[in-house]
Amino acid sequence: MSDRPALLEVRDLRVTFPTRAGDVHAVSDVTFSVGRGERVGLVGESGSGKTATALAISGLLPQSVSMSGSIRLTGRELTGLGRRDRRKLCGAHVGMIFQNPQSSLNPAMTVGRQIVEPLRLHLGLSRVSARTRALELLDEVGMPAPARSFDEYPHRFSGGMRQRAMIAMALSCRPELIIADEPTTALDVTIQAQILELLARLCAEHDSTLLVITHDLGVLAGLADRILVMYSGRILEEGPVDCIYHRALNPYTLALLAAVSRIDRPLEKLRPIPGDPPSGLQMPSGCVFHTRCPHVTGICRTEVPALLPGADPGHRCACHLAGHLDGLPLDAGARR
């Protein structure tokens, strides 16, 4: 947990998607908080529940989806609000950057108009004032010739430029919380670095809190203050970024780290995580990672591990074997 005053508090969050095959349990009993001004990373493989968590926070889940638990933003409970009130509150306090700007931006509207709309809707600015603010934002995010970019359609821009336009939209109402869902997906390495640097700089300048969702721990190395590791709808480990990178306790976190290329070890072979995540239709008993864990024991199959404090301040881990894996390679142990 953060030691800063909480801006966002999530308690016992559950998200279930109805399908023809049955209910998919995307998020199960997730609890965490994000402090004001903090930069937090939510990391995990595809299907781990990261995006469902973000959509629940921002009020963008479809009406057919079942959600329970508590989400408090700036001290106000969101789960009991009507859909219109919640959208209004989140629109003013939460900025969302989606992972695919090509599909998230409206192709039939100019970029400028898409930035102006939330300014007029949530801040009540006049058309002239909204345009002035939009041009300032386009300049802030590094769009070339802001006045010309304002009147261009999204298809005229590269992927990096479209993502900059998305960031401008997310910052338009000066939200206290920015949620960036895979903000560097489909961008080349150089552009990824530029976008991450831009996010960090703008959040600092606007005094915004940042929640970054990613499958890549490498993305968070120079960006996040704290990391939450998520797998199959549950938080398995959380802690300060240095602690997660150098003193991780959960086998899943260690496996994610082993799958990240490192500049100081260019010849080291990456180790993929064997097996597949469990289906949300039928979750395994006990620890959700036990079907892929190289250190699985009997208790792992029957009892859900609690998220308990580690030795470092703010470090928590959900693993029956936490603290007892020192010296064991990631491929040690047998799947009994």
Side-chain angles (χ1 to χ4, degrees):
M1 295 292 182
S2 172
D3 57 359
R4 308 185 192 189
L7 172 71
L8 172 69
E9 296 174 279
V10 178
R11 295 284 181 272
D12 302 318
L13 179 65
R14 290 190 174 200
V15 177
T16 304
F17 290 81
T19 71
R20 291 182 178 179
D23 289 342
V24 173
H25 303 283
V27 181
S28 302
D29 301 314
V30 163
T31 295
F32 67 92
S33 66
V34 179
R36 290 182 180 274
E38 195 176 22
R39 297 187 296 197
V40 174
L42 182 59
V43 66
E45 294 171 278
S46 296
S48 62
K50 309 182 303 295
T51 295
T53 300
L55 294 176
I57 293 168
S58 58
L60 296 177
L61 284 172
Q63 286 185 299
S64 60
V65 174
S66 172
M67 184 187 76
S68 64
S70 171
I71 300 174
R72 297 182 67 87
L73 180 66
T74 64
R76 185 172 181 182
E77 180 63 53
L78 300 183
T79 52
L81 291 178
R83 194 170 183 85
R84 179 176 296 181
D85 289 339
R86 184 168 182 178
R87 288 282 181 90
K88 185 176 181 180
L89 181 67
C90 289
H93 292 278
V94 180
M96 192 82 181
I97 301 170
F98 296 97
Q99 61 179 295
N100 187 353
Q102 185 169 354
S103 61
S104 301
L105 292 168
N106 188 333
M109 293 173 61
T110 63
V111 165
R113 184 180 169 192
Q114 294 182 64
I115 299 174
V116 162
E117 275 199 347
L119 288 168
R120 302 200 67 193
L121 177 64
H122 296 296
L123 300 185
L125 298 186
S126 67
R127 192 179 301 275
V128 173
S129 297
R131 178 184 171 86
T132 300
R133 173 64 181 149
L135 291 172
E136 291 173 353
L137 285 164
L138 288 171
D139 184 54
E140 279 188 62
V141 300
M143 292 291 278
R148 187 176 70 241
S149 297
F150 182 95
D151 293 317
E152 293 283 11
Y153 289 89
H155 72 273
R156 299 294 299 273
F157 296 116
S158 65
M161 288 298 105
R162 283 194 290 263
Q163 195 60 290
R164 289 174 186 268
M166 282 292 300
I167 293 173
M169 289 176 63
L171 290 170
S172 61
C173 295
R174 295 187 174 90
E176 294 169 281
L177 174 65
I178 299 290
I179 300 176
D181 186 4
E182 299 279 8
T184 57
T185 295
L187 301 179
D188 63 48
V189 175
T190 302
I191 303 302
Q192 282 186 23
Q194 293 176 4
I195 294 299
L196 293 173
E197 183 182 354
L198 176 66
L199 268 177
R201 176 176 63 81
L202 291 176
C203 283
E205 291 176 358
H206 289 257
D207 196 27
S208 295
T209 302
L210 181 63
L211 177 61
V212 181
I213 293 167
T214 182
H215 65 276
D216 185 359
L217 268 169
V219 165
L220 301 174
L223 181 65
D225 301 313
R226 191 160 53 92
I227 294 175
L228 309 171
V229 180
M230 195 170 189
Y231 180 80
S232 290
R234 293 184 179 272
I235 301 293
L236 296 190
E237 189 162 12
E238 72 166 288
V241 63
D242 181 69
C243 182
I244 294 297
Y245 279 97
H246 300 291
R247 294 179 298 282
L249 297 175
N250 195 285
Y252 179 60
T253 308
L254 294 169
L256 286 178
L257 288 167
V260 175
S261 59
R262 294 179 52 165
I263 195 170
D264 58 334
R265 300 177 187 174
L267 300 180
E268 186 173 285
K269 187 177 180 180
L270 301 183
R271 287 174 285 184
I273 305 174
D276 297 309
S279 166
L281 290 168
Q282 188 174 4
M283 300 299 289
S285 59
C287 174
V288 289
F289 188 57
H290 88 255
T291 58
R292 304 171 73 190
C293 181
H295 310 296
V296 62
T297 63
I299 192 174
C300 303
R301 294 188 177 91
T302 58
E303 295 187 21
V304 178
L307 197 59
L308 300 176
D312 294 277
H315 186 194
R316 300 195 301 164
C317 177
C319 179
H320 295 298
L321 302 178
H324 301 285
L325 299 177
D326 290 345
L328 287 177
L330 287 177
D331 55 357
R335 300 182 192 281
R336 302 179 185 87

